[in-house]
Every structure is written in structure tokens, then in C-alpha cells.
Amino acid sequence: CDANGLIADNPLVNIRTTYDNIFPSSNTMFWTNSSCALSLKVRADGLVAIVHEPAANPFFEDMTVPYVDANNTITFIRVPWEKDNMTFAEIFPTVNNTCGEGACSVTHDDACLCEVTVSEGAVFDSLPTREDMWSTLK
């Protein structure tokens, strides 16, 4: 989904298809002009998946493909979590810490669903040096 309402130039891409293949690459994906809420699903091993929750669409019963919703997401990636100074264990929301002391909610499969805010903006006013870029990313 795209909160800015971007849709593909080719109208055929914006047609709703049936997602009936177990392999996501075999289904046709498309942009929607619906607004969207984003969240992260965090598994017990620290892997995360981006979850898309588009606004209701009066033309389709199901609002999103099953590969990006909270219950069926399949694309989990590794992210660098902060580490405990004493144990060097990664610190992230889990069921054991009540999903970040309540910052996130527990899902039906004992993962944590965390709301996120997307913020877009320039980091530099001019072309940075390599050192400036790397120091900003740390």
C-alpha cells in the first residue's frame, strides 16, 4: 500500500487478482491507492516482518494479500538489535518481556506486533563524506 496514493501507470497492474498460488512470486502484486498503516511483527528469534494494513476498500472484501498481513506474513528479515552490556544478548520485544513492557501487542502465534511511524526527510543538506555517512548510520 502507499499512503501517497501512487498507483502504477499501467491500469492492468492495478486490477485486483486472486492470490491462489502458495508461491508469492507466481501471483500478481499491485499498488493500491489506499492509505496504509505499517507495523512490525517480531518473532521470538528477533526476526521482523513488515505488516501492511491498508484502509478498507469498498470494492474488495479482503484488504491485503496474505503475504503481508499480521497472521500470514512470510517475509522475515534480520535487523541489528541493541545488545545488553552485560550479557551481549539482543534486546527486542518478546512474549517473555510482555512485548517490550507493553510497547507492542502479543499476536495469536506468540510474536509481538509493534506499531511504527514512517518518517521521510533529508539526512544531509549536501553530499556527505563517507565518514559522515557511516557515523550517521551507527
Side-chain angles (χ1 to χ4, degrees), residues 1-2 32-37 52-58 60 62-64:
C1 38
D2 177 44
T32 176
N33 57 356
S34 299
S35 61
C36 183
H52 303 261
E53 299 173 42
N57 185 330
F60 305 107
D62 58 332
M63 296 180 288
T64 186

Side-chain angles (χ1 to χ4, degrees), residues 19 21-27 29 41 43 45 47-52 65-78 109:
Y19 299 97
N21 195 305
I22 61 169
F23 301 105
S25 61
S26 298
N27 293 303
M29 305 299 176
K41 185 172 185 178
R43 293 192 326 197
D45 58 5
L47 296 178
V48 301
I50 299 172
V51 174
H52 303 261
V65 297
Y67 311 116
V68 296
D69 72 6
N71 294 326
N72 300 302
T73 188
I74 59 172
T75 308
F76 284 86
I77 58 173
R78 179 148 182 75
D109 54 351

Side-chain angles (χ1 to χ4, degrees), residues 6-7 9 15 25 28 36-37 51 74 79 89 94 111 118 129:
L6 296 177
I7 55 176
D9 291 333
I15 295 172
S25 61
T28 302
C36 183
V51 174
I74 59 172
V79 297
T94 66
V118 178
T129 65

Side-chain angles (χ1 to χ4, degrees), residues 121-137:
V123 176
F124 300 101
D125 295 326
S126 61
L127 186 63
T129 65
R130 173 179 241 160
E131 292 77 26
D132 288 340
M133 182 197 64
W134 282 115
S135 67
T136 303
L137 294 174

